[in-house]
Amino acid sequence: MQEKYQKIRLLTEEEKYKEALSFNEDLLKDYPKDDTLWYLRGNIYKKQELWQQAIDSYTEAISLNRQSPATTMRRICIDILNFYDKTMYNP
């Protein structure tokens, strides 16, 4: 399975998001309880700045494994969405 995870990581790094997501989703059909696949799915979405899909994927990974690195990534996505820069505010 490690080779499959690595393929998803590589495709994501190469910005081949559609291919990475398709491969990931095919694997999730066979391994729906694999928290690493959900975590990697979140990473694909995060790279595309699809925040809600990333958060949803990370949340699923966390529900399957409380120790998942998705915990940190989910918090980062939420922090990004909650970011408020007062210097950019024009009343």
Side-chain angles (χ1 to χ4, degrees):
M1 197 64 163
Q2 291 299 321
E3 300 87 26
K4 294 176 182 177
Y5 297 153
Q6 189 57 32
K7 180 178 179 178
I8 295 168
R9 287 184 183 102
L10 183 61
L11 290 169
T12 303
E13 288 173 15
E14 293 174 349
E15 298 181 2
K16 296 179 180 176
Y17 303 124
K18 287 183 183 180
E19 190 176 340
L21 192 57
S22 176
F23 185 64
N24 182 276
E25 288 178 352
D26 287 344
L27 290 171
L28 279 171
K29 290 176 188 172
D30 294 329
Y31 306 99
K33 302 269 185 204
D34 187 321
D35 65 285
T36 301
L37 288 174
W38 286 102
Y39 168 73
L40 293 172
R41 184 175 186 244
N43 289 346
I44 296 166
Y45 285 128
K46 183 180 74 61
K47 285 285 207 168
Q48 299 175 85
E49 298 183 3
L50 298 171
W51 304 114
Q52 189 58 57
Q53 292 94 324
I55 290 169
D56 291 346
S57 297
Y58 292 141
T59 300
E60 184 63 28
I62 295 164
S63 75
L64 295 168
N65 176 8
R66 295 280 177 207
Q67 303 303 316
S68 171
T71 304
T72 301
M73 296 308 293
R74 182 179 182 277
R75 187 173 55 247
I76 288 169
C77 289
I78 291 170
D79 287 347
I80 289 169
L81 290 174
N82 288 333
F83 178 72
Y84 178 76
D85 185 353
K86 292 179 183 178
T87 64
M88 297 185 79
Y89 180 68
N90 293 319

